[in-house]
Amino acid sequence: MTILRKGYPSPAIREKEILRYSGCRVPDESTIALMRSCIDEAQKVLTYEVCYCILPVEIRVDICDFGCFSLTSQGLAKNLSSSTQVVLFAATVGTGLDRLIAKYGRISPSRALMIQALGAERIEALCDEFCKDISTELNTCLAPRFSPGYGDLPLETQRDIFAVLDPSRQIGLTLNDSLLMSPSKSVTAFAGMANECNNTNKCSLCDKTNCNFRRVL
Amino acid sequence: MNFRDFLKDNIIYLDGGLGTLLQSRGLKPGELPERWSISHPEVLQDIHKAYFDAGSNVVCSNTFGANCLKFDKNELEQIVSAAINNVKIARDKSSNTAPKFVALDLGPSGKLLKPLGDLDFEDAVSVFAETVKLGAKYGADLVIIETMNDSYETKAALLAVKENCDLPVLVSNVYGADGKLMTGASPEAMVAMLEGMGVDALGANCSLGPKQLRPVAERLLACASVPVLLKPNAGLPKSVDGKTVFDVTPDEFAEELASLVKSGLRIAGGCCGTTPEYISLLTSKTAGARAIPVTKKNITAVSSYSHAVVFDKEPILIGERINPTGKKRFKQALINNDIDYILSEGINQQEKGVHILDVNVGLPDIDEVSMLKTAVCELQAVIDLPLQIDTANIPAMESAMRRYNGKAMINSVNGKAESMAAVFPLVKKYGGVVVALTLDEGGIPQTAEGRFAIAQKILKTAECYGIDKKDIIFDTLAMTISADSGAASTTLTALNQIKNELGCHTSLGVSNISFGLPSRDGINSTFFALALENGLSAAIMNPYSADMMKVYYSFKALHGMDENCAQYIAAAGSFATVSATNAAPAVKSTEEYRSELQRAIIKGLCEKAGDLTCQLLKSTPPLEIVQNEVIPALNTVGEGFEKKTVYLPQLLMSAEAAKAAFECVKAAMSATSSGTDKGIFVIATVHGDIHDIGKNIVKLLLENYGFNVIDLGKDVPAETVAEAVILRNAPMAGLSALMTTTVPAMEETIKLLREKAPWCKIVVGGAVLTEEYASKIGADKYARDAMETVRYAEKISSDR
């Protein structure tokens, strides 16, 4: 098994998404100005790094067996039901954003909030970019990515993922005792390789129907 | 042969990759390779011997991740002892006749240090110290700290080595394609910090192939005064038929490194993907090559977590505003432990263009040791400028230098034997550029010659401590001309002499020159210009003074240090704004907003809200402004938020504008109590959780509404919360948690508060909480958002 690394240039920014994450449905001029000035400042410190590997997977009822470790999760088993291999990856946009959030958390919470929202949008954009890139490269479809904390997949899964990918060495991504990742704007996920591409709204797969961030089709 | 002697005039070959070779021998993904030293000693000995046979002078023990975070005490000792023994056996069996050494390998802890992560700096030092002690005990010849991608963790590891053994130590960092460490440090910043701490050699490894690492190696070679090492990867990994292969061949690898050896590289080896074949080709391609002597670079530099500031021809500005002397508002901030105020002073000075921040928090009634350490840690977490640690309190100086992430500037030492005996050992241990005042037991000499003689004495003493003259910056002491009309000339003559005859850099606290005079800016800025012309390298100054900044930019433009006068032109805009704001045009307020100030707050215009408040204060009592302007504006926005016509970013921008207005009101009021104090509110993000945006939002709004908020920060243990509540007899506390995994910590905190401070009302909030959950863990109130917390706190306050 090989752990591979990829770096990306900045994916296109989706302002609507940033506003959505900031909790602003109807932005006024000053909110948009705030967002754009945060984007300008953050662009200088953002990095886009991913490390990943390809693992075999065997599903037995709700057990997902990846060879080097296995997990029990109905949600993940369902998500990977049509896959025999998965891409396991860790992605981060770096520590620079955490420094900005810490800085503005102390002196300007509105900027901190907006940079936080930008970080959420950036890491999602990076994951999208990576999945698009890797599915082209491997000539495969990918199931919607599934992360620890989704559905019944426990956060403790992070320990297994970190043991396999060693992302602290690969991309500087670490895990603390509370299972939080640093840098905070990071994602680990399984993406099952599938024969058929499913392009439905990702939110429609989630059971949490009262979520503020739920995308409406 | 001793390693340090061998390092003097030889090219040293390190080993190559280990992890990739262990995987090919059957190490499973996720398995800890360190255990193989005990379970598969013959495999390790085989690989180590192959490296020695290929020509390696130094082979690293299989202890990359051997630390007490991953292994218990007994197992750790067994692992380190076996790992070193395996290298020794390989060394004895190898046919290679060149000098051979056993290196204790120290990799990163796998955790990120606070404040970015959760590992405390001192804990990191202890973690590395455990492994270092074992390495020394079991007979390593040297220590290699490698694959470090964070400057702060690198410092912790190097400190652990220095404090626990006398072995030579090499440090190697991971640089990305952008030429920086993952947490931001440039090669020049790393050289400044590592050389300051007395490293034997430094360099780069991992991440990239030799071609991509060449620019980093060249930058290190250009500024390092110790040997430079390089251990690149065999290019990038690829998966071919399930096997890992790297894209740089042994031949290409050796060729590239051999050419760097010709440019001065002194220590070479390989990292991921390299094998004994790579090392063998490297040694044969460089056979007979001359080891280029390492030259002293004589660079005076300080550094932060991101970059180095070099003292050269261009003047360096050191911002003086983080200092309570003569500043009522700053003193108040220190007494209230209001770190945010100190941070904003730092950030504002950075925006004005200073290169270094002076940090002085000395006040008679505060614990300076703890406050200086806190201020330094907080500043370096959010500002990338190097800091000047300014104190006469030696324990405070040491604790701040120890925690400093980089090579600090130290203010100051002087010619008194006692001062030098206290400060120089710290500079030697932690590194630093120290400001030396030309005074001694006899006081401040009246003559330039007297000050020059003290400078010579200081240099001589520094040399005895092994401190190079490049790390001393002389301050020839600006004394007020109101007391002695010849004061300026004495200072300038001494300055000029030290610069030209001793070849040392200089610094001055410029504004002392005008003490006791009216309209000081004119004298200060003229003196600044004269000093610059006499060779002044750095000034401790007030960057808010337009006159001082004018001199700085003009001097650079006049001396050809500012191409096309671009910096001067850019700065000229800001000189103009100063006068423009003074004559702020009165815009007619619209009906809709009742007043211009209310409009500024509702629209979230910080600067404007501040300016308008200051103007209003000339005619209106402070409390009236709060009652009639600020609070009604806040209410308008708050109600809008509750009705969902105003969204969170807008609410926050308004709150910040209100805060700007409050700052002016506070500054205007002589009494410390504002009269609007609705009581103390202790707030914290619970233990284990590092999310504090929500908490900060609540804090800001509570402050707006007149609460005295004691912010304990994030990741706060239950005991700390209880202590703060008891100490201040606080009627209310707010706890925040974002993660399901940290809700138990919240429950524990509530339990402790109930036991130790039963009077205290507890409100909780955070993404994972619900009304039901909050009552289950025993909170008095669940607040959905910041406004709800404010409403609840107001209710508690009025019930009291």
Side-chain angles (χ1 to χ4, degrees):
Chain A
M1 186 200 63
T2 311
I3 315 283
L4 299 166
R5 254 178 64 190
K6 277 177 184 282
Y8 292 90
S10 173
I13 296 213
R14 300 169 291 193
E15 292 192 344
K16 258 196 179 151
E17 285 291 284
I18 301 173
L19 290 168
R20 189 170 71 88
Y21 284 121
S22 78
C24 188
R25 286 183 186 250
V26 190
D28 58 4
E29 244 172 65
S30 54
T31 310
I32 289 175
L34 171 71
M35 173 181 70
R36 294 201 174 136
S37 110
C38 289
I39 292 172
D40 283 347
E41 185 172 7
Q43 288 281 32
K44 294 170 207 144
V45 300
L46 284 161
T47 56
Y48 301 90
E49 298 280 341
V50 183
C51 68
Y52 66 102
C53 67
I54 292 158
L55 295 174
V57 63
E58 214 184 292
I59 310 293
R60 294 185 298 272
V61 196
D62 55 0
I63 296 172
C64 311
D65 186 346
F66 302 101
C68 45
F69 68 105
S70 67
L71 295 167
T72 306
S73 157
Q74 266 183 10
L76 183 60
K78 187 178 156 204
N79 178 273
L80 299 179
S81 56
S82 60
S83 305
T84 55
Q85 283 188 303
V86 295
V87 178
L88 173 62
F89 71 93
T92 183
V93 294
T95 55
L97 218 52
D98 283 347
R99 283 191 193 274
L100 287 181
I101 292 170
K103 171 175 170 180
Y104 290 113
R106 306 302 292 272
I107 59 164
S108 170
S110 65
R111 277 190 93 80
L113 173 81
M114 203 46 94
I115 293 171
Q116 172 97 347
L118 169 68
E121 184 276 338
R122 290 289 75 199
I123 186 64
E124 284 299 311
L126 172 61
C127 291
D128 290 348
E129 187 79 15
F130 167 73
C131 287
K132 200 173 96 194
D133 177 32
I134 206 79
S135 66
T136 312
E137 191 178 302
L138 302 174
N139 194 21
T140 178
C141 294
L142 289 180
R145 51 181 183 267
F146 207 95
S147 295
Y150 281 19
D152 64 346
L153 185 62
L155 272 187
E156 282 71 20
T157 309
Q158 291 285 36
R159 294 198 211 280
D160 296 311
I161 297 177
F162 272 70
V164 172
L165 287 178
D166 194 11
S168 79
R169 176 157 189 172
Q170 297 288 339
I171 56 172
L173 176 60
T174 62
L175 190 65
N176 76 10
D177 294 338
S178 315
L179 302 170
L180 293 175
M181 290 185 283
S182 298
S184 66
K185 295 302 167 196
S186 303
V187 160
T188 58
F190 298 90
M193 291 161 62
N195 294 324
E196 272 180 46
C197 296
N198 181 350
N199 286 326
T200 52
N201 174 4
K202 280 182 287 184
C203 286
S204 68
L205 302 170
C206 178
D207 300 334
K208 194 169 158 51
T209 49
N210 61 348
C211 170
N212 278 339
F213 296 108
R214 194 175 179 91
R215 282 191 190 87
V216 188
L217 267 188
Chain B
M1 190 180 219
N2 163 313
F3 180 78
R4 283 201 176 103
D5 290 336
F6 189 60
L7 180 59
K8 270 181 202 147
D9 347 85
N10 292 284
I11 294 164
I12 291 185
Y13 301 102
L14 305 175
D15 57 359
L18 179 61
T20 28
L21 293 180
L22 289 178
Q23 276 164 23
S24 70
R25 300 277 196 112
L27 180 78
K28 297 270 180 310
E31 195 180 350
L32 293 172
E34 291 78 17
R35 291 206 167 108
W36 272 45
S37 298
I38 299 170
S39 62
H40 300 72
E42 65 297 334
V43 173
L44 270 305
Q45 289 161 21
D46 242 26
I47 297 172
H48 294 331
K49 177 173 176 295
Y51 278 122
F52 276 129
D53 289 345
S56 298
N57 302 108
V58 176
V59 166
C60 290
S61 58
N62 178 29
T63 50
F64 183 84
N67 62 54
C68 55
L69 295 173
K70 292 192 185 126
F71 303 98
D72 67 33
K73 207 166 180 259
N74 283 336
E75 191 180 14
L76 182 64
E77 176 147 11
Q78 285 169 18
I79 282 173
V80 175
S81 133
I84 288 178
N85 198 40
N86 288 332
V87 185
K88 283 184 183 168
I89 290 171
R91 174 193 64 191
D92 297 342
K93 281 190 186 160
S94 167
S95 52
N96 178 1
T97 54
K100 295 187 283 291
F101 302 92
V102 180
L104 172 74
D105 190 58
L106 278 189
S109 66
K111 295 239 172 201
L112 205 52
L113 267 62
K114 284 178 183 173
L116 293 170
D118 66 340
L119 183 62
D120 183 73
F121 179 79
E122 288 300 340
D123 291 341
V125 175
S126 311
V127 166
F128 291 118
E130 285 302 313
T131 310
V132 169
K133 281 185 234 168
L134 292 171
K137 177 176 169 186
Y138 288 103
D141 301 311
L142 68 146
V143 182
I144 298 187
I145 297 169
E146 59 144 322
T147 324
M148 289 284 176
N149 51 26
D150 174 28
S151 56
Y152 210 23
E153 187 177 12
T154 311
K155 175 167 178 170
L158 183 51
L159 208 50
V161 174
K162 289 279 174 188
E163 289 182 335
N164 292 285
C165 70
D166 298 319
L167 296 175
V169 53
L170 280 46
V171 172
S172 177
N173 289 105
V174 183
Y175 293 89
D178 57 358
K180 290 189 230 166
L181 303 198
M182 195 264 299
T183 51
S186 67
E188 294 76 16
M190 291 312 296
V191 170
M193 181 181 88
L194 296 171
E195 285 190 352
M197 294 178 68
V199 76
D200 291 277
L202 54 81
N205 75 298
C206 209
S207 73
L208 302 165
K211 257 204 177 70
Q212 292 78 12
L213 271 184
R214 177 181 267 276
V216 169
E218 284 169 348
R219 283 168 70 179
L220 292 170
L221 285 165
C223 63
S225 300
V226 296
V228 171
L229 77 87
L230 200 64
K231 261 166 73 100
N233 285 350
L236 292 171
K238 283 187 296 198
S239 181
V240 177
D241 301 328
K243 281 202 176 142
T244 308
V245 292
F246 285 78
D247 66 359
V248 174
T249 65
D251 201 59
E252 289 164 331
F253 182 89
E255 200 62 55
E256 192 69 33
L257 275 189
S259 108
L260 276 165
V261 166
K262 281 194 196 126
S263 322
L265 184 72
R266 288 287 301 279
I267 306 173
C271 201
C272 305
T274 61
T275 61
E277 192 190 353
Y278 286 74
I279 302 301
S280 174
L281 269 172
L282 168 66
T283 50
S284 64
K285 275 194 203 287
T286 50
R290 192 174 74 94
I292 311 266
V294 178
T295 52
K296 273 201 162 184
K297 301 300 187 296
N298 209 19
I299 295 169
T300 298
V302 290
S303 69
S304 66
Y305 74 83
S306 76
H307 66 281
V309 168
V310 176
F311 288 73
D312 198 4
K313 294 199 174 59
E314 295 199 10
I316 303 291
L317 302 180
I318 305 171
E320 70 178 9
R321 302 295 297 175
I322 301 182
N323 189 324
T325 314
K327 300 188 196 87
K328 222 183 270 169
R329 177 70 186 91
F330 200 101
K331 280 183 190 161
Q332 201 55 47
L334 281 179
I335 290 163
N336 293 346
N337 204 19
D338 181 359
I339 303 289
D340 295 5
Y341 185 81
I342 300 177
L343 291 183
S344 46
E345 276 291 351
I347 291 163
N348 292 340
Q349 290 184 87
Q350 176 168 37
E351 279 166 7
K352 293 286 178 197
V354 304
H355 308 104
I356 296 171
L357 292 175
D358 184 83
V359 185
N360 181 322
V361 293
L363 261 194
D365 295 330
I366 65 157
D367 173 3
E368 194 181 347
V369 178
S370 125
M371 181 48 97
L372 187 60
K373 185 173 86 180
T374 306
V376 162
C377 289
E378 296 272 5
L379 283 162
Q380 71 185 0
V382 300
I383 298 178
D384 66 357
L385 296 182
L387 303 180
Q388 168 162 288
I389 296 165
D390 182 358
T391 180
N393 179 330
I394 299 297
M397 184 184 278
E398 170 154 25
S399 80
M401 286 172 80
R402 191 174 171 90
R403 290 277 178 148
Y404 183 67
N405 186 357
K407 181 182 186 186
M409 196 149 168
I410 313 301
N411 190 7
S412 58
V413 72
N414 61 54
K416 291 180 188 167
E418 190 192 3
S419 165
M420 292 190 283
V423 175
F424 284 149
L426 299 182
V427 175
K428 181 67 188 166
K429 179 172 180 182
Y430 299 106
V433 168
V434 63
V435 176
L437 311 180
T438 52
L439 61 87
D440 64 7
E441 289 84 356
I444 301 170
Q446 293 293 320
T447 63
E449 293 71 35
R451 295 185 199 180
F452 183 77
I454 293 177
Q456 284 178 308
K457 175 172 81 178
I458 291 173
L459 276 189
K460 221 168 158 188
T461 313
E463 207 184 331
C464 301
Y465 285 91
I467 297 167
D468 205 281
K469 94 176 178 186
K470 74 176 164 65
D471 286 331
I472 312 262
I473 292 191
F474 285 102
D475 183 333
T476 55
L477 302 164
M479 311 290 288
T480 178
I481 50 167
S482 65
D484 170 9
S485 56
S489 142
T490 309
T491 305
L492 294 175
T493 309
L495 181 92
N496 190 297
Q497 228 180 335
I498 287 172
K499 180 91 180 180
N500 294 320
E501 293 176 32
L502 298 180
C504 286
H505 286 287
T506 53
S507 165
L508 280 176
V510 176
S511 32
N512 295 341
I513 201 74
S514 62
F515 191 79
L517 291 173
S519 190
R520 294 174 62 181
D521 263 6
I523 299 279
N524 290 349
S525 56
T526 307
F527 178 64
F528 182 33
L530 292 173
L532 286 172
E533 201 51 38
N534 273 283
L536 182 72
S537 320
I540 304 176
M541 47 78 73
N542 175 7
Y544 305 145
S545 157
D547 286 339
M548 291 292 286
M549 296 309 286
K550 275 180 196 165
V551 168
Y552 168 74
Y553 286 111
S554 308
F555 179 85
K556 283 179 69 173
L558 291 165
H559 277 276
M561 296 169 181
D562 181 4
E563 204 170 329
N564 301 327
C565 302
Q567 293 175 32
Y568 181 84
I569 293 166
S574 75
F575 304 150
T577 6
V578 176
S579 36
T581 3
N582 289 343
V587 182
K588 269 215 157 162
S589 52
T590 51
E591 292 280 312
E592 195 190 341
Y593 294 108
R594 295 186 293 263
S595 81
E596 197 55 27
L597 175 56
Q598 291 200 39
R599 178 180 175 272
I601 293 171
I602 291 166
K603 286 274 165 195
L605 309 169
C606 274
E607 216 171 306
K608 194 153 192 198
D611 290 347
L612 288 168
T613 307
C614 291
Q615 283 179 30
L616 261 182
L617 279 164
K618 289 176 193 155
S619 56
T620 320
L623 286 184
E624 228 165 85
I625 299 178
V626 173
Q627 292 304 337
N628 300 340
E629 301 285 342
V630 184
I631 297 288
L634 274 173
N635 282 337
T636 306
V637 182
E639 282 156 21
F641 180 72
E642 284 160 336
K643 281 189 230 139
K644 295 194 166 42
T645 55
V646 167
Y647 296 99
L648 190 53
Q650 297 147 344
L651 174 74
L652 291 177
M653 284 189 278
S654 292
E656 283 159 28
K659 191 176 174 177
F662 278 125
E663 274 298 327
C664 299
V665 169
K666 267 193 211 170
M669 289 198 294
S670 47
T672 50
S673 149
S674 65
T676 58
D677 193 354
K678 290 186 186 153
I680 290 171
F681 191 108
V682 171
I683 195 166
T685 298
V686 299
H687 187 52
D689 208 323
I690 52 164
H691 295 89
D692 62 355
I693 290 205
K695 182 214 71 189
N696 290 336
I697 291 171
V698 174
K699 174 188 171 190
L700 175 67
L701 283 162
L702 283 168
E703 283 176 342
N704 274 184
Y705 279 87
F707 291 91
N708 180 4
V709 181
I710 308 295
D711 180 8
L712 303 176
K714 55 191 178 181
D715 190 9
V716 183
E719 298 75 30
T720 313
V721 179
E723 273 164 31
V725 167
I726 295 164
L727 181 73
R728 312 259 181 169
N729 196 25
M732 302 163 268
L735 302 173
S736 159
L738 188 95
M739 308 282 293
T740 43
T741 47
T742 54
V743 174
M746 183 179 266
E747 190 173 2
E748 191 197 319
T749 311
I750 295 174
K751 231 170 109 188
L752 193 71
L753 279 173
R754 291 290 180 236
E755 187 191 315
K756 302 264 167 105
W759 65 84
C760 182
K761 293 284 181 195
I762 304 165
V763 48
V764 297
V768 294
L769 287 167
T770 59
E771 189 100 49
E772 196 190 345
Y773 214 169
S775 75
K776 206 177 118 197
I777 61 174
D780 293 303
K781 168 79 184 167
Y782 162 71
R784 202 178 54 244
D785 55 42
M787 278 314 293
E788 204 175 340
T789 312
V790 169
R791 300 291 183 227
Y792 179 70
E794 289 197 308
K795 185 174 163 289
I796 300 295
S797 169
S798 66
D799 288 352
R800 277 166 73 220

